[in-house]
Amino acid sequence: MSTAAAPVRQLDAHTVGELRQAAEKILAEFGTSATSAELLRRVAETADGFSDTLRHHCRPVDTDDGLFVLRGLEVDDKAVGSTPTSWATAGDSGAVHDIQLLLLATVMGNPIAWEGQQDGRFVHNIVPSPGHESQQTGASSAVLLSPHTEDAFHPGRAHLLMLGCMRNHDHIATTAASIRKVRLTDEDIDILTRPALPILPDDAYEAAQSYADEAPPAVPALFKSENGMTLRFDPAYTPVEEADEAYRAAYGRLEAELARVSVAVSLDPGEVLVVDNDLVVHGRVPFQARYDGTDRWLKRASVRVPGRLSRPLAEAAEHGYGQAALEAHATELDTEHAAGHAA
C-alpha cells in the first residue's frame, strides 16, 4: 500500500474564519447540532452566502485519485473534550464541527442521513466502541475495515463521503483506492458490469438485514458512465461464493487491483477527507483502541450531488431493503428521486 500524498486543497485563514464564524452563529442560535428542520434551513441559507473562494475549494473531485483533503480547519484538542466511547454517547460533542461539516456538505451537494443510523443525524461520530472491535463498521478497531463503497447495498447511497478528523494521535490511516487507477482486461470488465450478485446491508443496518419482503437485487460491481468507470463494491457483504467460477475470478482480480493501487491517508485534526463514492473504495487499518478518551475520532457526512448521472438507471427500481435516506435540503425533484430509492 502506497503512502503517497492525497491531493490537498488548502484553506486560507480568511476562509477558515468565514466557515467557523458561520458555524458558531448557527450553534449559538440553536444550541445543538442535532437535526431539525429549522437548523437545516439556516444551514442552507448560510451556505448560499459563502464566498467564491470557499465554493472553489468545494468543487467536485477533479483527479483520477477520486478524493482530496481539505486542509486548514482548526480543532482544539482540549476544548473538544474526550473521544466518546460510542456514537450513542457522543451527543453534541464537537457540535460546532458538526455544523462546519454540514455547511461544507451543503456547498458540495445535498447532505443525507439515514433514519436507522445514529438517530437520523446528518453528521456521524466515528469512534471505536467496546464490543464492536471485530465488526465491519466504523465502530470497529481490531480488524481491517475492508475496502468498500459507502452504503453500497442502497441505491440512494451518497455520491460523496466526507471524513473530518477531530483526533488522531496514533496516525491511524484511512485506506483508499480509485477504480480509475486499476488495470483490468476487457473480459473482466464485461463480466463485472453484469448484475450477478446482491450487496447485502452491513452490520450498521439491523432493520435492513431482516428485510424479507423481496429478494435481494443483483447489481453490477462496475458501471461505464459517460465520464469513465465507476464501481459499487463491498466484498464483506457480497456472497461471491454464489457466483460462477469466471465471475469469482474476475471479482478477485478487481480486489487485487484495488489493493495494488490503494493509498493510506492519515488525517490530522482539522483535515477533511472528501471521497467520491462512485470512484473510490475506502477502509481503515487495524488499531488498538484504549477507550481512555484519546482514541481516533472522526466526523462523517454523506452527500448526494443532484443531477449526477454516474449509476445505472436500473438502480431506481431497487427496494433498498426498506431503508429510507433523509435529504437535508430536498427539492420536489429530489423528493421524487428519493421516493424511487426507498421503500
Side-chain angles (χ1 to χ4, degrees):
M1 182 186 301
S2 169
T3 56
V8 172
R9 299 181 185 180
Q10 179 71 50
L11 294 171
D12 61 80
H14 177 78
T15 306
V16 170
E18 176 187 14
L19 181 63
R20 183 185 64 249
Q21 290 166 21
E24 289 173 345
K25 183 177 180 180
I26 293 173
L27 182 59
E29 179 179 357
F30 291 93
T32 178
S33 61
T35 300
S36 69
E38 293 78 12
L39 183 143
L40 293 175
R41 279 196 293 269
R42 184 71 73 245
V43 165
E45 293 167 0
T46 303
D48 190 54
F50 279 148
S51 66
D52 289 342
T53 300
L54 181 52
R55 292 183 174 282
H56 179 68
H57 284 302
C58 294
R59 67 191 184 276
V61 171
D62 53 10
T63 71
D64 284 345
D65 300 278
L67 53 81
F68 63 86
V69 173
L70 196 62
R71 180 177 292 168
L73 301 182
E74 301 163 346
V75 176
D76 185 321
D77 190 68
K78 292 184 178 180
V80 298
S82 299
T83 300
T85 54
S86 77
W87 72 263
T89 62
D92 273 332
S93 298
V96 72
H97 300 282
D98 292 345
I99 297 173
Q100 284 188 109
L101 199 61
L102 188 54
L103 285 164
L104 289 170
T106 298
V107 176
M108 294 183 191
N110 194 352
I112 62 171
W114 299 92
E115 291 177 339
Q117 203 177 28
Q118 298 209 12
D119 289 338
R121 283 186 179 245
F122 282 84
V123 177
H124 294 172
N125 287 282
I126 306 301
V127 296
S129 300
H132 298 269
E133 289 85 353
S134 299
Q135 291 184 346
Q136 283 296 311
T137 70
S140 69
S141 53
V143 295
L144 174 73
L145 184 60
S146 298
H148 61 286
T149 50
E150 190 74 0
D151 298 323
F153 76 96
H154 202 282
R157 63 197 178 280
H159 294 109
L160 300 175
L161 176 70
M162 305 175 67
L163 297 173
C165 182
M166 299 289 288
R167 178 173 289 126
N168 193 13
H169 293 171
D170 304 304
H171 305 291
I172 297 158
T174 298
T175 63
S178 171
I179 189 62
R180 300 283 170 85
K181 295 197 169 186
V182 306
R183 294 196 295 262
L184 294 171
T185 66
D186 290 342
E187 181 180 6
D188 283 343
I189 292 172
D190 182 60
I191 291 172
L192 295 170
T193 50
R194 299 173 186 171
L197 294 171
I199 300 177
L200 304 175
D202 64 51
D203 291 338
Y205 295 90
E206 293 183 9
Q209 290 180 332
S210 62
Y211 182 82
D213 289 1
E214 298 178 50
V219 302
L222 300 180
F223 175 66
K224 296 179 181 178
S225 74
E226 291 183 0
N227 296 319
M229 193 67 69
T230 65
L231 83 167
R232 183 178 182 181
F233 187 77
D234 194 346
Y237 294 94
T238 301
V240 181
E241 69 281 356
E242 296 178 4
D244 60 33
E245 183 178 353
Y247 189 92
R248 293 197 306 271
Y251 197 92
R253 285 188 287 271
L254 173 59
E255 283 191 280
E257 274 296 291
L258 290 169
R260 181 183 66 82
V261 303
S262 182
V263 298
V265 183
S266 178
L267 295 173
D268 289 327
E271 294 183 334
V272 179
L273 175 63
V274 180
V275 174
D276 189 313
N277 198 41
D278 288 329
L279 301 187
V280 172
V281 294
H282 71 282
R284 190 215 60 243
V285 300
F287 66 99
Q288 180 64 51
R290 293 181 294 271
Y291 306 125
D292 63 354
T294 66
D295 282 321
R296 177 181 183 257
W297 179 10
L298 302 182
K299 298 280 189 179
R300 178 178 67 197
S302 298
V303 184
R304 285 182 184 157
V305 180
R308 181 168 173 174
L309 301 175
S310 54
R311 297 170 180 171
L313 293 177
E315 288 192 6
E318 293 178 24
H319 52 63
Y321 299 88
Q323 298 302 293
L326 309 172
E327 297 187 332
H329 316 302
T331 64
E332 183 176 349
L333 180 62
D334 292 331
T335 302
E336 291 175 359
H337 177 72
H341 282 161

